[in-house]
């Protein structure tokens, strides 16, 4: 599971993994708080610009500096797909759906990351059980979408924005892994934030930045939390675990975070999912769970499969998948 890590590093990775779960579960509700007094572009661009500036003294404290080699720049660009593309999309859509639902829809990312990593990195195998899991998750997504559309005709914007964000996030995770620049997590974070900040600056003519005269304290607090925890600490820890774990194992966080995100939304913003939406979310997360722990289902399907000639291929796929889990 851990790639070339000693006992101390393993403990650090575990702690980082738990912090990422907490930060990711609170990020959707923090985004909605930050949008309380700002338009979506102002909120996300201020977050990234402030985070990029604060990343420089952190680099000095850690005794690191930005690396400007070609592989490093490629890794920064790869990471910016998840910071510019994904964040722009989810901020745009966050005003239209509950924060917990945003986190639930992000449950699609491990399957998308796994599929991309299979074709791009050769990390995973697409077994029959995983195909079934993907179909289950898509059925859950369809149920969530239909339930929200019946409740709010404008919710398609939030769902579309979040799904586009998930696609960008999954592609970014695999691209960073493929770049394999070997960067310190804080260097990767700072470089990604600066490349993303440039992209936000280039977008100014289309969106502009609008600071209100009366800026609600809850919005400022949400923005401050996202700058320090959601961007700096969250991205640094995310790149740390991404460096040591397989891509789809990292995105397994999205199986745990939605449960906590729904709780934070209920406690902090009095958000409630409709029963039909909750059922779709449960179906989506069930598909995700089957996708991650597919071996028993694959063995059962192999037992049912009438064409024994396929057995050797399936066995080889199981062996390769098990080897990926060990490394």
């Amino acid at each position: 599971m851990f790639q070339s890590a000693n006992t101390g590093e393993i403990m650090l990775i575990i702690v980082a993994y738990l912090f990422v779960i907490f930060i990711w579960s609170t990020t959707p509700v923090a985004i909605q708080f930050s949008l309380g007094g700002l338009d979506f572009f102002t909120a996300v661009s201020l977050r990234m610009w402030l985070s990029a500036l604060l990343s420089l003294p952190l680099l000095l404290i850690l005794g690191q500096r930005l690396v400007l080699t070609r592989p490093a720049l490629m890794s920064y660009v790869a990471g910016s797909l998840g910071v510019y593309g994904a964040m722009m999309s989810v901020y745009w859509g966050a005003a239209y759906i509950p924060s917990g639902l945003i986190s639930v829809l992000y449950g699609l990312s491990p399957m998308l990351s796994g599929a991309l990593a299979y074709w791009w990195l050769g990390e995973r195998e697409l077994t029959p059980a995983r195909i079934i899991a993907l179909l289950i998750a898509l059925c859950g997504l369809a149920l969530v979408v239909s339930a929200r559309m019946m409740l709010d005709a404008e919710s398609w914007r939030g769902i579309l924005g979040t799904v586009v964000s998930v696609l960008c996030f999954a592609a970014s995770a695999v691209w960073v892994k493929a770049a394999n620049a070997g960067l310190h997590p804080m260097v990767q974070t700072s470089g990604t934030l600066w490349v993303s900040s440039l992209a936000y600056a280039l977008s100014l003519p289309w969106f502009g930045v609008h600071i209100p005269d009366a800026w609600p304290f809850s919005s400022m607090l949400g923005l401050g939390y996202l700058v320090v925890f959601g961007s700096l600490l969250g991205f640094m820890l995310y790149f740390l675990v991404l460096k040591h774990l397989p891509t789809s194992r990292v995105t397994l966080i999205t199986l745990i975070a939605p449960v906590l995100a729904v709780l934070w939304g209920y406690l902090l913003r009095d958000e409630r999912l409709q029963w039909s939406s909750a059922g779709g979310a449960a179906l989506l997360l069930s598909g995700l769970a089957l996708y991650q722990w597919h071996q028993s289902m694959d063995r059962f399907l192999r037992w049912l499969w009438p064409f024994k000639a396929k057995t050797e291929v399936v066995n080889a796929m199981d062996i390769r998948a098990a080897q990926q889990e060990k490394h």
Side-chain angles (χ1 to χ4, degrees):
M1 178 177 176
F2 296 96
Q3 299 172 355
S4 305
N6 57 38
T7 303
E9 289 176 332
I10 290 174
M11 290 303 298
L12 176 62
I13 295 166
I14 291 173
V15 172
Y17 196 88
L18 294 175
F19 266 105
V20 171
I21 290 174
F22 175 79
I23 291 170
W24 282 16
S25 70
T26 54
T27 294
V29 71
I31 288 175
Q32 293 196 332
F33 273 118
S34 70
L35 290 171
L38 303 172
D39 63 85
F40 86 94
F41 183 79
T42 299
V44 67
S45 59
L46 285 178
R47 171 185 172 183
M48 299 311 165
W49 291 333
L50 291 171
S51 299
L53 288 172
L54 290 175
S55 71
L56 295 180
L58 279 178
L59 282 176
L60 293 176
I61 292 171
L62 294 174
Q64 300 291 327
R65 62 182 180 84
L66 280 177
V67 180
L68 299 178
T69 62
R70 184 174 179 177
L73 292 174
M74 181 62 67
S75 190
Y76 301 153
V77 172
S80 69
L81 178 60
V83 176
Y84 179 79
M87 289 295 102
M88 277 276 282
S89 301
V90 76
Y91 266 76
W92 176 75
Y96 300 98
I97 55 177
S99 61
L101 189 55
I102 294 173
S103 190
V104 167
L105 292 176
Y106 254 82
L108 290 170
S109 60
M111 286 174 278
L112 294 174
S113 294
L116 289 171
Y118 169 61
W119 294 108
W120 201 339
L121 305 177
E123 275 196 358
R124 289 285 195 148
E125 301 289 352
L126 193 61
T127 67
R130 283 190 168 146
I131 295 174
I132 294 173
L134 181 58
L135 293 175
I136 292 173
L138 291 176
C139 288
L141 177 62
L143 184 57
V144 168
V145 170
S146 62
R148 290 302 305 178
M149 287 297 291
M150 287 188 294
L151 187 65
D152 180 6
E154 292 294 310
S155 62
W156 68 268
R157 299 174 185 270
I159 294 168
L160 175 63
T162 305
V163 170
V164 171
S165 178
V166 172
L167 288 170
C168 292
F169 171 78
S172 175
V174 177
W175 193 1
V176 169
K177 197 83 170 178
N180 194 27
L183 300 171
H184 185 279
M186 192 61 227
V187 174
Q188 175 71 58
T189 299
S190 183
T192 296
L193 286 169
W194 278 104
V195 171
S196 301
S197 294
L198 176 61
Y200 283 111
L202 293 174
S203 302
L204 276 172
W206 288 273
F207 300 102
V209 172
H210 310 94
I211 305 297
D213 294 330
W215 192 354
F217 178 72
S218 60
S219 177
M220 289 189 287
L221 192 63
L223 177 63
Y225 176 84
L226 290 169
V227 168
V228 176
F229 293 94
S231 294
L232 290 175
L233 184 60
F235 290 158
M236 183 180 70
L237 295 179
Y238 166 68
F239 288 127
L240 174 65
V241 297
L242 185 64
K243 183 178 180 180
H244 292 281
L245 297 176
T247 306
S248 54
R249 182 66 64 186
V250 175
T251 50
L252 179 61
I253 294 167
T254 54
L255 181 62
I256 306 168
V259 180
L260 293 174
V262 172
L263 175 63
W264 303 135
Y266 172 74
L267 293 176
L268 300 176
R269 293 182 61 87
D270 197 29
E271 295 177 349
R272 290 176 173 81
L273 289 179
Q274 300 296 316
W275 282 109
S276 51
S277 293
L283 201 59
L284 191 156
L285 296 178
S286 296
L288 176 56
L290 175 59
Y291 183 88
Q292 293 295 335
W293 298 290
H294 63 96
Q295 288 85 357
S296 296
M297 175 64 77
D298 274 322
R299 285 193 292 269
F300 177 69
L301 292 174
R302 189 190 320 157
W303 178 73
L304 291 178
W305 192 250
F307 301 101
K308 301 299 183 183
K310 301 282 187 179
T311 303
E312 292 183 4
V313 176
V314 176
N315 283 336
M317 293 169 71
D318 282 347
I319 292 171
R320 286 196 293 272
Q323 290 173 342
Q324 288 292 340
E325 292 295 327
K326 292 179 180 178
H327 295 291

